[in-house]
Amino acid sequence: LGGAISAGYRKLGMLIEHLESRIADMESLGNLEGPTAEWVLSEIDTFSQGLGKWLKVAGDDKSEILRHSIYSRPLTEHKTMVEFGSFVGYTATRMGRAVEVTYERGYADGSILFEDSRLQGCNRVTSMEIDPIHACIARHVVNIARLSHIVEV
């Protein structure tokens, strides 16, 4: 495939290969629960700082800004979060996990009732991507993170 695939796409292929090989390592060590969203985000960070040398994701300080903006308002105030430009699904995964944590906390403390239909039955994060390769990779990353019930790419 020498020149048929751009260098950028090759790097994204390396990212997916990294994630898949790390999942296989987990399974071979007997981890039957599989990856979590935090694990996926950590592995993408590891890849971008090491193997990938650089990957345009909202990690480090940017992730703290994103986290603060998500948690600064009650979930009911923004029915759906929208992202324009999915790239590899890193930010969508981070936003989806924030929604999942909010639900978990709300169910635990009673602030969100399971029967409250306004909060049930719809994806809470929509990430739009024009590049079909990026969209497929982002969907795959969201699936690995087990967040496809919350995030739509």
Side-chain angles (χ1 to χ4, degrees):
L1 294 173
I5 301 175
S6 75
Y9 287 155
R10 261 188 290 239
K11 186 183 283 190
L12 299 181
M14 289 171 53
L15 169 65
I16 296 303
E17 185 177 351
H18 171 78
L19 291 173
E20 295 291 340
S21 68
R22 294 287 292 129
I23 291 169
D25 292 346
M26 288 172 68
E27 291 171 352
S28 71
L29 295 173
N31 182 340
L32 302 177
E33 292 181 22
T36 63
E38 287 86 0
W39 180 89
V40 170
L41 294 168
S42 175
E43 285 298 322
I44 292 174
D45 285 336
T46 299
F47 175 84
S48 66
Q49 295 166 5
L51 294 171
K53 303 294 184 217
W54 183 83
L55 200 62
K56 183 181 67 175
V57 294
D60 300 324
D61 294 339
K62 291 179 184 175
S63 69
E64 283 303 309
I65 293 168
L66 181 63
R67 187 188 67 72
H68 175 73
S69 66
I70 291 169
Y71 288 120
S72 66
R73 298 179 182 187
L75 188 61
T76 55
E77 283 190 20
H78 42 87
K79 273 241 181 246
T80 301
M81 287 181 263
V82 179
E83 173 187 33
F84 295 94
S86 303
F87 190 42
V88 298
Y90 182 91
T91 303
T93 299
R94 187 167 294 284
M95 290 189 299
R97 180 59 185 145
V99 169
E100 190 174 55
V101 166
T102 301
Y103 274 108
E104 288 170 358
R105 289 180 184 158
Y107 293 151
D109 68 16
S111 62
I112 299 175
L113 300 176
F114 187 77
E115 297 80 21
D116 188 349
S117 62
R118 291 178 296 122
L119 300 176
Q120 303 300 316
C122 66
N123 293 324
R124 308 289 290 173
V125 178
T126 300
S127 184
M128 297 184 218
E129 177 59 60
I130 195 166
D131 185 310
I133 303 293
H134 291 180
C136 287
I137 290 170
R139 281 187 190 133
H140 188 59
V141 167
V142 166
N143 286 338
I144 291 171
R146 300 176 180 193
L147 292 171
S148 58
H149 63 292
I150 296 171
V151 179
E152 178 67 35
V153 177

